[in-house]
Amino acid sequence: MSAEACFHWGRRRITYRVTRDERRRLKIAVAPSGSVHVTAPLDAADDEVHYRVRRKGGWIAAQIEDFEQYRPRTPPRQYISGETHLLRGIQYRLRVLETEASRIYLSGDRIVIETPHTESVPHKAALLNHFYRLEAHTEFPRRLQAVSSLFASEGIQAPKLLIRPMTKRWGSYTPKGNLVLNIDLIRAPVQCIDYVIVHELAHALEPNHGPKWRWLMDKVLPDWRERKRRLETSLV
Ligand SMILES: [Zn+2]
């Protein structure tokens, strides 16, 4: 049997699902998607369950917020000369040149866009996205390779890597054991790319961000909190 309930914590409305089983103690889990699942003992009274979930409101809200911060932000861009764009955490200035054929490449501290459509924002955005995609497909497999060794002792195999645009997350670890990385992550410093890969690989052992997940993170990447903070603050 499963029931849904909700309450307000500050301005946030928290919805949770309650299921019952043979357990002795109430368990509250916040999934990476932000959904809240409560498992309660069979004989616990409804009022008691709801009271105890609400008392944990601060902790639940903090868990949900943690995931929201983990989502990337993408500012609107004009793709004009002089505008800065990130690659592996380094700022490059854009240089837009009018030419007959479209091309995009790195030259020193510049990302150069050559195109007949210098005024077309969608065209220039598509070129830059294409460039990021190529860079991601070069860099992410290398980083996965480097980071996988950290997990060898945990019995986690290197997963299949999928690289694609994602609107709300930097990455995910699917139930089938695939690692999905957001193309946009190529804008982040390499140490943050590694953090996201380690974060998702740790979900192979622990789907939630509970004590077991944090224990594993502390073990394989002791400075993960700093990397997470950097990821959240350096890509604005
Ligand atoms: Zn996660």
Side-chain angles (χ1 to χ4, degrees):
M1 202 181 82
S2 160
E4 210 166 88
C6 80
F7 65 101
H8 283 88
W9 187 267
R11 292 201 330 227
R12 182 183 290 282
R13 183 172 185 267
I14 296 174
T15 307
Y16 58 98
R17 194 159 51 84
V18 181
T19 52
R20 305 269 182 171
D21 74 8
E22 303 284 354
R23 68 175 47 251
R24 283 156 172 248
R25 300 185 55 185
L26 188 87
K27 183 185 157 200
I28 302 172
V30 182
S33 63
S35 70
V36 182
H37 187 193
V38 176
T39 320
L42 288 169
D43 58 358
D46 281 349
D47 285 355
E48 169 76 6
V49 171
H50 295 314
Y51 170 73
R52 291 182 56 194
V53 171
R54 266 149 240 234
R55 246 183 29 185
K56 282 281 204 175
W59 178 83
I60 295 169
Q63 298 287 306
I64 294 171
E65 254 155 50
D66 226 27
F67 297 120
E68 288 176 345
Q69 284 177 7
Y70 184 51
R71 290 172 188 162
R73 289 162 288 192
T74 23
R77 314 308 294 269
Q78 297 298 312
Y79 305 95
I80 50 175
S81 285
E83 189 175 74
T84 56
H85 289 261
L86 289 163
L87 178 70
R88 294 185 195 84
I90 299 165
Q91 281 205 328
Y92 290 86
R93 273 191 195 287
L94 215 57
R95 186 162 185 218
V96 181
L97 300 172
E98 191 168 346
T99 53
E100 276 180 26
S102 294
R103 196 154 84 99
I104 180 164
Y105 55 93
L106 276 186
S107 173
D109 60 354
R110 310 258 160 179
I111 296 174
V112 183
I113 292 181
E114 296 181 353
T115 174
H117 315 289
T118 53
E119 302 300 316
S120 165
V121 168
H123 182 82
K124 290 181 284 182
L127 279 171
L128 195 66
N129 285 339
H130 170 73
F131 177 72
Y132 279 146
R133 180 185 295 269
L134 290 177
E135 292 293 324
H137 277 268
T138 308
E139 189 71 28
F140 294 171
R142 269 194 218 141
R143 297 321 307 163
L144 175 59
Q145 175 100 35
V147 159
S148 293
S149 61
L150 298 172
F151 283 93
S153 61
E154 308 301 325
I156 299 174
Q157 307 271 325
K160 186 176 170 195
L161 175 63
L162 305 172
I163 301 168
R164 60 183 185 221
M166 300 170 87
T167 52
K168 291 186 169 176
R169 303 288 309 271
W170 288 116
S172 71
Y173 187 81
T174 72
K176 282 185 179 169
N178 295 330
L179 171 67
V180 188
L181 293 178
N182 188 336
I183 289 174
D184 212 27
L185 187 59
I186 195 62
R187 296 167 58 235
V190 170
Q191 55 157 296
C192 299
I193 298 173
D194 286 358
Y195 156 70
V196 173
I197 296 174
V198 170
H199 177 130
E200 299 305 340
L201 286 183
H203 283 317
L205 287 186
E206 173 55 51
N208 298 308
H209 300 105
K212 192 176 162 194
W213 180 84
R214 289 197 299 272
W215 171 84
L216 189 58
M217 290 298 288
D218 286 340
K219 188 179 165 194
V220 298
L221 203 67
D223 65 346
W224 68 271
R225 288 178 183 83
E226 282 163 51
R227 296 178 189 233
K228 178 177 185 286
R229 211 169 301 127
R230 190 160 175 215
L231 179 63
E232 287 160 1
T233 54
S234 67
L235 291 189
V236 183

